[in-house]
Amino acid sequence: MYPCVRESYLKNGYKSDKTKRGSDKFVRVSWEKAYDLIANELKRVYKDHGSDAVFGGSYGWFCVGSLNNPQALVGRMLGIAGGYTSRTCTYSTHAIRQITPYITGTDESTAPVTVYPVIIENSECIVFWGADPINTNQIAWGVPDHQSYMYMKELKEAAKKRNIKFYIIDPVYNNTGLYFGAEHIQIRPTTDVALMLGIANYLYTENLYDKDFVHKYTIGFDEFEKYLVGESEDMVAKTPEWASKICGVDANVIKMLAKEFVSKRTMLMGGWGTQRAHHGEQPNWMMITLASMIGQVGLPGGGYGMSYHYSDGGVPMPAAASGNALSEKPINGSVGAVADTENVAASPGLSGISINSKMDGPWKQRKINVIPVSRIVECLENPGKEYNFDGKAYKYPEIKMAYWAGGNPFHHHQDRNRMVKAWQKLDTFVVNECFWTATARMADIVLPATTEQERNDISKSHSNSYIFAMKQAVKPAGEAMDDFDIFVNILRRFGANEVLAFTEGKTKMEWVEAFYAESYDKAIKSGVKMLPFKEFWEKGFVKFETPESAKKFVKHAKFRQNPVINRLGTPSGKIEIFSKKIAGYNYKECKGHPMWFEPMEWLGSKVAKEFPLNLVSPHPKYRLHSQLNNTWLRDLEEVEGREPIWMHPKDAAKRGIQNGDIVRVFNKRGQVLAGAVVTEAVMQGVVRMQEGAWYDPAEPGKVGTLCRHGDVNVLIPDVGTSELAQGNQATALVEIEKFKGEVPDIGIFKAPKIKGV
Ligand SMILES: Nc1nc2c(c(=O)[nH]1)N[C@H]1C(S)=C(S)[C@@H](COP(=O)(O)OP(=O)(O)OC[C@H]3O[C@@H](n4cnc5c(=O)[nH]c(N)nc54)[C@H](O)[C@@H]3O)O[C@H]1N2
Ligand SMILES: Nc1nc2c(c(=O)[nH]1)N[C@H]1C(S)=C(S)[C@@H](COP(=O)(O)OP(=O)(O)OC[C@H]3O[C@@H](n4cnc5c(=O)[nH]c(N)nc54)[C@H](O)[C@@H]3O)O[C@H]1N2
Ligand SMILES: [Mo]
């Protein structure tokens, strides 16, 4: 409701006691006071430590809207004020997005996939591999219009008329398995590469794989082949029996899957659950290798696709997105469609405000440094340390101040206790938020930001079928301000030119109109009709028709037709089962071809003796990450006010735990309370807690304290996937016991007491 400052920060500024973050009282201040504090601190840090010392990478989600994109705006503000350290990659697709451009020349997390109408007509076997599209398509990067649900329903109907076999390869029988009545292949977490190798080895030794495809469309199979049969590296043949011991899937089932995949038109639908893991670079690489051996890449209904679960992937779309649609904000803000755009007819998109857009004059020279997004804590801990990333060596900058707007790092980042400690290295932490999240409570200065209901904006649906007028529905609560205005007011403390560089002389509504005008011009040029702005704003939306051609799109069909003319964007122009480039980096944990590497924590590792349960942390059904956790939606799932943890009946019985018990989940990194849900939907040895439950420390700011509510990231390790992607993980080994003693009340959903209110 009001700008607030932490009490000891208000007294001592950047010299305040940082260990009090989280436990200190907050004091209400005026907006003018808050702006002064921030602008002065920015100036001090720039002067004493340089522009790298300000972290403005501000990763995370936020309300929909092309203008009020707080992340882009905070970057834009800092870029004008004096520069900053930003970030590259996302917690969503860290590994897949770094590895796949080497393999197929494109970021497979956003590359278009064979569309549903083609699947519905042609596929005979559909494999949801670490994917839960029925759950995760609920959201979109933009306004979700949920067209994928219509198609998934059609697919289910089609399966009644002709035989379509559905498999789900997952430690959990998820929403999608349930919806399609899929056969569940229970796999131990983070062992997918072993299973794929077992299938590949069987196809190879039984002579069932497509030699012609491999020969014509891929490169490096001969290197991989040696590894597959045990003539290189570990000198072990990757037989189904070998794989079975690692992944827990019966060797006969592995052989059955191999035969299924080559005898039916098979679509491998890979989610991103497999790559959010130690060595997360390997699964997608190996899946593309396996699909190549099956040989159906480029055929209708066969091959692979790695975005069916996200933002209406597989839905035929009317237009190329020129705005922030297809990917989650690369750092320069110039987001948009990726290389492979065969399926999109030219027509209007909608652009949004971006970090560097039209920032001319002296501001162009401002320095913007970059770190891989999930290495933020490592960076805070190790200023000046050298690290490898994607073939190059870098040095971590020394960060003194961080500004977050749109995102909840005290939910999304791993190893919470380590993070709480690392955060104490910051002189100053500023947060724009709409709610009293765990992150807002760790801030020195908190500014109340409006939500999309409280302001005007414009957005498109992810499927490109609509542009929406997002009209203000209510007045801002309390003294809340739009992020846009907050940054303008900070820049006023720098000068009129700085303000002008930020606003470009436009009011917010003029920006909204300008975004529309850009699309309008594109539409006119490509012969598509659009209403003039005024009429659009009145009516609330414009709709675009999907061209028939988009309903026939088959991924890699053109490449299959002619791999010389339609070569891929890799050095060889083919699918690179062996990558000379990657091999040349000489990384220990990511070599020239896909391989099985033992993850740091899995059911086969030593740690499992002490912590025998493998925790997975998928995306929540009734939230967008941590958003909406402070609403009645909690009542739909929580157990005694705690985030649920799913456990197999046998694992529960062994520990004397019953459905509905409050349990303590712990490992060497930390401890959380959770509510037991005893169910066979999760395989034995595996437990499941969704990401995003609000972090509720019993003693805020204290390292090692109990989280009373069930923030899974207290337990997940913060170790990079490998030197290639430096990505984040989402699994861990844990132990669970019935909670003894008095159950503490939840504190996080009550707003803190504020002095001066
Ligand atoms: N263990 C584990 N951890 C994970 C994952 C996992 O699978 N397992 N998934 C990872 C993934 S893929 C992601 S994308 C991240 C998500 O992590 P985040 O994107 O950080 O999570 P959200 O809860 O969506 O946080 C968005 C915050 O922005 C605020 N907000 C909304 N609108 C506005 C606005 O207009 N202005 C401002 N200033 N603030 C606003 C909301 O109140 C909310 O607190 O989590 C990652 N963390
Ligand atoms: N309702 C809802 N939808 C969302 C979001 C949300 O917060 N809520 N977040 C959105 C965002 S930002 C993103 S990035 C996407 C995330 O999309 P994904 O990353 O695909 O989603 P997850 O739920 O993390 O994982 C998908 C499946 O992988 C399984 N899995 C986990 N580990 C393994 C493993 O080692 N092997 C195998 N085979 N399977 C495994 C999980 O059990 C789950 O069923 O979802 C988006 N959609
Ligand atoms: Mo994500």
Side-chain angles (χ1 to χ4, degrees), residues 59-61 63 407-408 412 432-433 455 483 617 626-627 713:
Y59 175 83
W61 283 68
C63 295
N408 186 2
H412 71 227
N432 292 6
E433 250 297 347
R455 61 201 183 201
D483 293 285
S617 58
S626 73
Q627 294 184 69
N713 276 325

Side-chain angles (χ1 to χ4, degrees), residues 61 92 129-132 135-136 138-139 169-172 174 187 189-190 192 271-274 276 309-310 328 616 618-621 623-625:
W61 283 68
S92 316
W129 204 317
D132 192 1
N135 181 41
T136 53
Q138 290 180 85
I139 64 90
I169 303 183
D170 205 298
V172 182
N174 63 24
I187 185 167
T190 63
D192 298 86
W272 301 336
T274 56
R276 232 175 264 113
H309 63 289
Y310 191 74
E328 289 185 80
V616 294
H619 287 240
K621 185 166 181 179
R623 300 191 288 266
L624 173 56
H625 312 293

